[in-house]
Amino acid sequence: MKIYADNAATTNITPEILDVMMTCLRDNYGNPSSIYTLGMNALRAIERAREQCARAIGAKTNEIYFTGCGTEADNWAVKETARRLRRTKGKTGIITTNFEHHAILHTCEALEKEGFEITYLPVDSEGYISADDVKNAITDITAIVTIMYANNEIGTILPIAEIGKVCREKGVVFHTDAVQAVGNVSINVVEQHIDMMSVSGHKLHAPKGVGFLYSKNGLTLDRFIHGGAQERGRRAGTENTAGIVALGEAMTIACNGIEERAAKVAVLRDKLIRELSKIPASRLNGGMNSRLPGNVNMSFIGIEGESLLLNLDIAGISASSGSACTSGSLDPSHVLLALGLPHEIAHGSLRLSINEYNTEEEIDYIIETVPKVVAKIRAMSPLWEELGNGNSFERFAPLLSPLE
Ligand SMILES: *Cc1c(COP(=O)(O)O)cnc(C)c1O
């Protein structure tokens, strides 16, 4: 059996989106900046996709700016807003959380070197923050608040509408990285007081290499990539027409029937969590109050995430430990550390991110396979042995399920 359970890392391109994209690649090859019909057709296709993206989030068409990826949208929003507000209003403060995606965290680190002051709000042990936490952190120097909509590793969904309201009241720009949230929760940027929002195509069954930044009208958005006049002079470079067309289609599909789809996926998620929690000395990472329908994140003490993934791969299961962007490094996930977990627990984590294409049969196979793999690795694990095969980890006990 081959099971793909890493949809938070990327998704497959669905046949209907691939179809739209291939037709565009083949027929709509004109340069959208050219004035003859072939060019105009490409431009029209882009503007139609812009409309689709806008409609899906309750925005206006001219508030959507296509980018090369979600990371670029994050960089653009935070860097250019912070720099502009320092230049025009002397504001040097940025507020974010300690469990953002690296697209935000590393952007903030870069801005710190430019002299900005970054406040990293700590999330609680379940991976939540409140609008009050944000309100209390805002000061006279705050230029922008950037807080993710839903976390890519542990799936917690933050109270974005409330945070947006607080920022609006305080007159601070509010950006959210909604890459994981789009298609899983209903988003309306007007009702939720969102000023800027990042979206990525490849998390929504569109291809890699395309995304967009929503930036509310009335907010100045400075040019990010210099060159030609594309994206109303703000993001130069000949457009990725086929990618953009695919993203428009993907947004329309992803933002339709969210509740039904989410309810269906959540049933599978809950079954996975219920059954995998029976593994001794395990824990669920991230709370259940408000969680992405497809996210399961578990830790198993005495296990290295890497060996777990390799063994699952042999069994035909594609999963992840932490985020795709940090695998390859041996550092434990910054998200799990942000929950206050010790390294011993943060290291042995497994993220399964499922969606509506996963079947009940696949879920049952995962439930059958993971405990076997965990037992096999533990039998060879020096850490597990050092912990007396699980008999002497009192210091971790409050964080873990019982041994029996
Ligand atoms: C995947 C992801 C990104 C990066 O998007 P790319 O299009 O891969 O650059 C940013 N933020 C979050 C929360 C993500 O999950």
Side-chain angles (χ1 to χ4, degrees), residues 1-6 304-321 350-352 365-366 369-370 372-374 376-377:
M1 203 182 268
K2 285 271 173 263
I3 299 171
Y4 187 69
D6 202 16
E304 282 290 343
E306 297 268 312
S307 51
L308 185 55
L309 297 189
L310 293 175
N311 279 279
L312 289 177
D313 186 33
I314 292 166
I317 300 169
S318 305
S320 132
S321 177
L350 170 67
R351 178 187 70 184
L352 298 161
Y365 178 74
I366 296 174
T369 307
V370 174
K372 285 187 207 159
V373 171
V374 168
K376 179 180 149 200
I377 298 172

Side-chain angles (χ1 to χ4, degrees), residues 68-194:
C69 57
T71 299
E72 184 191 324
D74 282 344
N75 271 261
W76 189 0
V78 178
K79 283 182 182 161
E80 293 313 321
T81 304
R83 288 170 182 162
R84 174 174 59 83
L85 289 174
R86 176 162 67 179
R87 205 168 55 238
T88 58
K89 298 200 170 141
K91 293 186 189 264
T92 54
I94 299 169
I95 296 171
T96 187
T97 72
N98 61 351
F99 83 154
E100 296 292 311
H101 190 276
H102 282 133
I104 291 292
L105 286 183
H106 289 170
T107 294
C108 287
E109 281 166 29
L111 287 169
E112 208 162 356
K113 294 204 179 85
E114 292 181 21
F116 287 93
E117 293 166 46
I118 323 289
T119 304
Y120 298 95
L121 294 176
V123 294
D124 67 19
S125 63
E126 297 217 298
Y128 297 106
I129 60 160
S130 72
D132 271 345
D133 297 338
V134 178
K135 190 176 182 176
N136 296 334
I138 294 174
T139 68
D140 290 346
I141 66 155
T142 308
I144 182 169
V145 169
T146 175
I147 291 179
M148 71 196 320
Y149 204 128
N151 185 273
N152 48 304
E153 290 189 36
I154 56 172
T156 51
I157 301 168
L158 301 185
I160 289 306
E162 288 80 1
I163 295 171
K165 189 155 172 276
V166 161
C167 292
R168 190 64 54 84
E169 282 164 7
K170 297 262 189 183
V172 171
V173 176
F174 176 49
H175 167 259
T176 185
D177 174 341
V179 171
Q180 292 290 336
V182 172
N184 288 312
V185 291
S186 298
I187 298 179
N188 183 300
V189 290
V190 176
E191 288 167 12
Q192 296 176 292
H193 318 287
I194 298 169

Side-chain angles (χ1 to χ4, degrees), residues 373-391:
V373 171
V374 168
K376 179 180 149 200
I377 298 172
R378 277 179 174 168
M380 305 182 296
S381 156
L383 176 60
W384 186 246
E385 198 173 339
E386 188 189 311
L387 292 168
N389 295 323
N391 291 324

Side-chain angles (χ1 to χ4, degrees), residues 254-270:
C255 297
N256 252 321
I258 289 178
E259 270 170 38
E260 253 174 72
R261 198 170 57 233
K264 187 179 145 217
V265 177
V267 169
L268 299 178
R269 171 199 68 189
D270 292 346

